[in-house]
Amino acid sequence: MAEPFFVPVTVRGYETDVQGHLNQSVYLQYAEHARWSVLRAAGITQAELMARKVGPVALETTIRYLRELRAGDEVEVTCVFLWGEGKSFRIEQTIRKTDGTVAAEITAVGGLMDLTERRLLPGARDAFKSLATDPGPLGL
């Protein structure tokens, strides 16, 4: 299996809360940043998605907070797609400090929505594969 796709992120001071650790909502932003980054790496742009009148949607997200992050911490946010045959797929993500400490684990369920019909497309795996110019980063 190939190494998981990841993006580096440095925790910014304004993202922290009164206790001095990363605000819980920012973990979702980091995860979303990694998901859009892997799509771009696969050659899928927001402009292309809009032109085809489709868009990725989040159906469920679970976050396990394991260690706090503080301003200045450098992390990598991984993103691995797990494909099935149906309308939805899973995304597993880890936010890991550079010393290897896992700060959070994020599991999401997503789909690809037809923006005209407002329904999930069948065969999300095949739909993403057809959109990608380089399906490798998506595990396809």
Side-chain angles (χ1 to χ4, degrees):
M1 181 176 158
E3 291 293 314
F5 180 89
F6 73 91
V7 293
V9 176
T10 301
V11 177
R12 295 164 289 258
Y14 62 83
E15 296 172 326
T16 60
D17 58 22
V18 73
Q19 289 91 10
H21 58 249
L22 188 65
N23 181 280
Q24 51 94 20
S25 67
V26 180
Y27 288 84
L28 286 172
Q29 293 172 10
Y30 288 3
E32 186 75 1
H33 173 60
R35 290 192 295 263
W36 279 107
S37 294
V38 75
L39 290 179
R40 277 195 317 276
I44 301 172
T45 65
Q46 287 178 309
E48 178 67 16
L49 291 168
M50 292 303 296
R52 294 197 189 194
K53 297 188 182 346
V54 297
V57 294
L59 303 172
E60 175 184 317
T61 304
T62 302
I63 304 174
R64 290 187 63 222
Y65 302 99
L66 301 169
R67 295 288 184 272
E68 67 183 355
L69 293 174
R70 296 188 170 275
D73 283 345
E74 295 185 18
V75 299
E76 57 181 44
V77 185
T78 66
C79 190
V80 176
F81 282 72
L82 303 172
W83 302 100
E85 298 302 319
K87 295 179 182 181
S88 64
F89 52 88
R90 295 178 62 80
I91 304 170
E92 291 185 353
Q93 297 182 266
T94 302
I95 299 177
R96 180 179 289 112
K97 294 168 92 171
T98 54
D99 68 4
T101 303
V102 175
E105 297 172 333
I106 301 151
T107 303
V109 176
L112 189 63
M113 180 180 281
D114 177 316
L115 298 177
T116 302
E117 297 294 321
R118 309 306 286 178
R119 294 185 181 271
L120 293 179
L121 293 175
R125 178 178 193 247
D126 292 336
F128 273 98
K129 193 171 186 177
S130 72
L131 287 165
T133 58
D134 177 6
L138 298 173
L140 297 171

